[in-house]
């Protein structure tokens, strides 16, 4: 009996020592402040209300710009100041270059191997190099400029015909802007990827087109959904993982669709006898298949599918949403719309349509885009990062394995940084150039968005052309509803419907498009 007591004593003492030591270390680490109580199992999840970026902004105003939260079992640091964001993405950029293992990345990210979901390392660096140099470089974007111009002018042609009553008589017509912008950006991206467009003026819809549209709809529906099992894994056993099952089914559809496009290009290449390598203007699939020919062990079909799906998902909804918000803001402030039209008329004139090369000479139009991105960034919360090692931010300790969330919305709408931030004032971007990390709508650091250049070209050209070619007004006397909906890219709660008619001075030019 006595020997058993000593045996248990000598087992218990080391355990007590290590337990006390760990608790002492945790208490003595200077963690960021936390709002309210962290409840068992759910942590701080009970505090959250949609839209999350506004809830987080409120918490930061109350408790400070660097907060420590528990999303269920996941430790999270929430950053809402430019100084803290700069520290995260400069001094600690490598340490925060990983992604958390969320279920969306497991299913839609090929088990965390795509450029969005891959952890920092050789594989991610190579994917980033491919995206930056092979797919989205300035040279490559310039080669695709004709696609952007053609699609924007196709959109203008459709609006012109809808408003034409015949005999050069025109009327104001209602336009559902969200759908129009979404179809524009999807056509641009898909033509860049595979040389195909799936939206247009055709009346007969092919099976391939209907499948594509359904995949796109499901992708954006599920991408904005929160999977509670990411934060409370114990709930996976209670039948609450329906989203995960839908993600798996969706990925099989996406995979099959993209593989068919790749196989189609391979077949053409065999018939062509490798002629695509000699062409300067190649689709992105052709570029990647050329790389596959040289390094087949790395540039697998799965790698190609992953890159294409990221391009499609990340490049379409964000740009379309920015244009819809921009027009909503302009319609609620007609004098700003008129000022932009005046700039375009002065610099472009009535005898030609805006080209991408003209955008540099339209600073007020650029200011409108920047102000829209400030007020309604495409992703108000930067896609989450995760710390690979313990580090410090703002003097606080950030433990290893902590998820980092940076609230761009809170930074870009902070009244201490921006005068009257709730007002739509493009002029502020002409008067003062904001330095540092006060305006980062595309993120920053190693994992900043590589598609920023493409997005700015599409948005600038489309907005400028629509302002140049049409007169715009609201559908009634009421102001446009500016409430936010739910989703990763913060869509409008109510899709924008606007009225337009062709600009009289451009009727002859528009009639021959």
């Amino acid at each position: 009996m006595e020997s058993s007591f000593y045996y248990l004593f000598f087992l218990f003492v080391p355990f007590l020592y290590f337990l006390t030591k760990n608790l002492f270390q945790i208490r003595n680490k200077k963690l960021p402040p936390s709002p309210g109580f962290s409840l068992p199992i759910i942590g701080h999840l009970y505090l959250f209300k949609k839209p999350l970026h506004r809830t987080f902004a409120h918490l930061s105003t109350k408790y400070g710009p660097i907060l420590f939260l528990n999303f269920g079992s996941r430790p999270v640091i929430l950053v809402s100041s430019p100084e803290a964001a700069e520290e995260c993405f400069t001094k600690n950029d490598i340490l925060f270059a990983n992604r958390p293992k969320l279920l969306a990345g497991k299913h839609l990210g090929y088990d965390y191997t795509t450029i969005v979901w891959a952890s920092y390392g050789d594989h991610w660096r190579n994917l980033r190099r491919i995206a930056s140099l092979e797919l989205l470089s300035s040279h490559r974007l310039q080669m695709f400029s004709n696609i952007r111009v053609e699609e924007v002018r196709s959109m203008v042609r459709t609006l012109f015909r809808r408003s034409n009553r015949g005999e050069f008589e025109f009327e104001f017509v209602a336009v559902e802007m969200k759908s129009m912008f979404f179809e524009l950006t999807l056509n641009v991206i898909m033509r860049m990827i595979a040389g195909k467009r799936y939206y247009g003026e055709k009346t007969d819809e092919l099976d391939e087109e209907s499948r594509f549209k359904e995949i796109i709809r499901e992708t954006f529906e599920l991408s904005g959904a929160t999977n509670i099992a990411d934060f409370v894994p114990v709930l996976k056993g209670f039948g609450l993982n329906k989203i995960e099952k839908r993600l798996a089914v969706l990925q099989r559809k996406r995979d099959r669709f993209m593989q068919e496009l790749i196989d189609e290009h391979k077949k053409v290449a065999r018939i062509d006898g490798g002629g695509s390598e000699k062409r300067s203007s190649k689709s992105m699939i052709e570029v990647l298949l050329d790389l596959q020919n040289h390094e087949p062990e790395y540039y697998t079909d799965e790698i190609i599918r992953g890159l294409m799906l990221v391009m499609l998902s990340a490049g379409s909804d964000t740009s379309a949403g920015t244009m819809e918000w921009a027009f909503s803001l302009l319609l609620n402030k007609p004098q700003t719309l008129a000022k932009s039209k005046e700039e375009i008329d002065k610099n472009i004139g009535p005898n030609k349509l805006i080209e991408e090369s003209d955008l540099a000479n339209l600073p007020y139009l650029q200011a409108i885009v920047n102000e829209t991105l400030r007020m309604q960034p495409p992703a108000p919360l930067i896609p989450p990062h995760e710390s690979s090692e313990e580090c410090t931010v703002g003097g606080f300790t950030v433990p290893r394995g902590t998820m980092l969330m940076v609230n761009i919305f809170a930074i870009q709408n902070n009244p201490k940084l921006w005068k009257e931030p709730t007002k739509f004032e493009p002029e502020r971007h002409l008067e003062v150039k904001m330095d540092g990390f006060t305006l980062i709508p595309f993120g920053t650091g190693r994992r900043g968005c590589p598609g920023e250049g493409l997005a700015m070209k599409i948005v600038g050209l489309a907005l400028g052309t629509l302002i140049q070619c049409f007169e715009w007004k609201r559908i009634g006397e009421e102001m446009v509803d500016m409430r936010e909906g739910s989703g990763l890219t913060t869509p409008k709660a109510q899709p924008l419907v606007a009225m337009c008619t062709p600009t009289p001075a451009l009727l002859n030019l528009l009639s021959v498009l």
Side-chain angles (χ1 to χ4, degrees):
M1 182 72 178
E2 186 176 350
S3 62
S4 297
F5 171 78
Y6 283 113
Y7 178 72
L8 290 172
F9 176 78
F10 283 112
L11 282 178
F12 178 71
V13 168
F15 171 76
L16 182 64
Y17 168 76
F18 284 113
L19 178 64
T20 305
K21 180 182 177 183
N22 287 337
L23 287 173
F24 181 78
Q25 286 178 339
I26 291 172
R27 287 183 176 179
N28 280 272
K29 286 180 179 178
K30 190 181 178 185
L31 295 175
S34 292
F37 296 101
S38 179
L39 299 178
I41 301 178
I42 65 171
H44 291 98
L45 293 178
Y46 71 96
L47 294 173
F48 299 168
K49 296 178 181 178
K50 294 181 178 181
L52 283 182
H53 58 277
R54 290 189 180 273
T55 295
F56 291 160
H58 174 72
L59 291 175
S60 297
T61 300
K62 187 175 182 180
Y63 295 100
I66 305 174
L67 298 179
F68 188 81
L69 303 130
N70 289 300
F71 287 15
S73 61
R74 286 183 182 271
V76 176
I77 178 177
L78 175 65
V79 164
S80 303
S81 74
E83 296 81 11
E86 182 173 9
E87 192 171 354
C88 290
F89 296 124
T90 53
K91 184 184 79 172
N92 295 317
D93 195 24
I94 292 180
L95 297 181
F96 280 121
N98 280 348
R99 292 287 195 213
K101 303 290 187 181
L102 303 180
L103 289 171
K106 175 183 177 182
H107 295 289
L108 302 186
Y110 290 94
D111 201 20
Y112 314 106
T113 60
T114 64
I115 188 172
V116 171
W117 291 103
S119 291
Y120 183 70
D122 290 341
H123 174 62
W124 177 83
R125 281 193 291 269
N126 195 51
L127 291 177
R128 178 74 182 203
R129 181 188 61 79
I130 296 168
S132 300
L133 300 181
E134 301 287 352
L135 304 181
L136 294 168
S137 66
S138 297
H139 175 67
R140 186 70 64 186
L141 292 182
Q142 182 58 37
M143 289 168 57
F144 288 132
S145 63
N146 65 304
I147 291 176
R148 296 188 291 275
V149 170
E150 289 169 7
E151 291 301 328
V152 167
R153 293 187 180 179
S154 174
M155 175 181 65
V156 168
R157 187 165 54 247
T158 298
L159 291 179
F160 180 79
R161 290 172 180 172
R162 283 183 56 189
S163 62
N164 190 352
R165 297 175 59 187
E167 298 296 329
F168 259 60
E169 292 184 18
F170 296 87
E171 61 182 354
F172 274 93
V173 293
V175 182
E176 205 274 273
M177 306 294 281
K178 179 178 181 178
S179 297
M180 182 180 72
F181 288 137
F182 194 51
E183 292 174 8
L184 166 69
T185 54
L186 280 173
N187 275 339
V188 170
I189 298 295
M190 281 306 295
R191 286 186 64 186
M192 290 172 60
I193 289 174
K196 292 189 174 188
R197 67 197 306 266
Y198 291 101
Y199 296 88
E201 302 169 44
K202 295 181 294 182
T203 55
D204 297 326
E205 187 174 275
L206 302 176
D207 175 64
E208 183 180 1
E209 292 178 60
S210 61
R211 285 173 57 210
F212 174 79
K213 293 175 183 179
E214 179 64 16
I215 288 170
I216 291 298
R217 186 193 64 77
E218 288 187 56
T219 296
F220 288 109
E221 177 186 338
L222 290 178
S223 295
T226 301
N227 194 332
I228 192 66
D230 279 325
F231 310 114
V232 188
V234 69
L235 295 179
K236 291 182 75 172
F238 292 89
L240 297 177
N241 59 337
K242 294 179 180 178
I243 292 178
E244 182 175 9
K245 292 178 181 177
R246 292 180 64 193
L247 286 170
V249 172
L250 171 61
Q251 182 58 5
R252 286 195 290 272
K253 293 181 185 177
R254 287 161 34 116
D255 222 29
R256 193 180 310 117
F257 186 87
M258 277 297 170
Q259 188 60 49
E260 288 173 5
L261 288 178
I262 292 171
D263 291 341
E264 185 179 315
H265 277 75
K266 287 181 177 179
K267 182 178 179 180
V268 170
R270 285 195 296 269
I271 296 172
D272 192 32
S276 67
E277 292 201 23
K278 302 172 185 177
R279 293 201 305 270
S280 59
S281 181
K282 294 183 283 189
S283 71
M284 291 182 174
I285 289 180
E286 288 175 322
V287 170
L288 292 170
L289 288 177
D290 288 347
L291 293 172
Q292 187 183 72
N293 290 333
H294 297 290
E295 294 183 65
E297 68 285 351
Y298 184 80
Y299 295 99
T300 63
D301 285 359
E302 182 176 297
I303 291 288
I304 296 174
R305 293 196 304 268
L307 281 165
M308 297 303 93
L309 286 169
V310 167
M311 283 284 302
L312 186 60
S313 300
S316 53
D317 192 49
T318 51
S319 295
T322 297
M323 289 186 278
E324 187 186 14
W325 279 114
F327 254 90
S328 300
L329 291 162
L330 287 169
L331 290 172
N332 278 346
K333 197 170 181 182
Q335 62 270 35
T336 299
L337 179 59
K339 187 173 179 179
S340 179
K341 193 173 186 67
E342 181 181 341
E343 177 189 61
I344 293 170
D345 291 344
K346 179 180 178 181
N347 286 277
I348 307 301
N351 299 318
K352 73 184 242 2
L353 297 184
I354 288 178
E355 302 281 353
E356 283 188 355
S357 58
D358 297 317
L359 296 178
N361 300 318
L362 300 171
Y364 195 68
L365 175 64
Q366 186 61 57
I368 289 171
V369 175
N370 287 335
E371 180 70 344
T372 303
L373 291 170
R374 180 193 69 80
M375 297 181 72
Q376 295 292 344
L381 297 167
I382 286 181
H385 295 228
E386 186 174 275
S387 57
S388 58
E389 298 291 342
E390 182 180 291
C391 59
T392 60
V393 176
F396 296 110
T397 298
V398 179
R400 178 182 180 179
T402 299
M403 191 163 81
L404 168 67
M405 301 195 75
V406 178
N407 193 344
I408 295 177
F409 174 85
I411 295 172
Q412 297 182 174
N413 288 270
N414 187 338
K416 294 180 181 179
L417 302 172
W418 302 87
K419 182 180 179 182
E420 298 183 290
T422 59
K423 288 189 176 181
F424 179 55
E425 297 288 349
E427 288 77 7
R428 73 174 86 232
H429 299 279
L430 300 175
E431 297 164 357
V432 179
K433 180 176 175 58
M434 300 298 288
D435 296 321
F437 287 67
T438 52
L439 185 66
I440 48 172
F442 295 95
T444 185
R446 280 171 172 77
R447 302 202 79 135
C449 177
E452 178 178 353
L454 174 61
M456 294 299 285
K457 289 179 183 297
I458 293 175
V459 171
L461 181 64
L463 288 182
T465 303
L466 291 176
I467 292 171
Q468 178 190 27
C469 295
F470 298 94
E471 309 289 340
W472 295 92
K473 66 179 183 179
R474 299 189 294 265
I475 58 175
E477 294 299 320
E478 300 82 9
M479 300 288 277
V480 173
D481 187 340
M482 302 298 286
R483 289 177 299 166
E484 297 167 343
S486 59
L488 293 177
T489 56
T490 319
K492 293 180 85 273
Q494 295 295 324
L496 174 64
V497 179
M499 305 291 291
C500 79
T501 192
T503 298
L506 271 71
L507 288 179
N508 289 328
L509 185 61
L510 295 175
S511 65
V512 296
L513 275 182

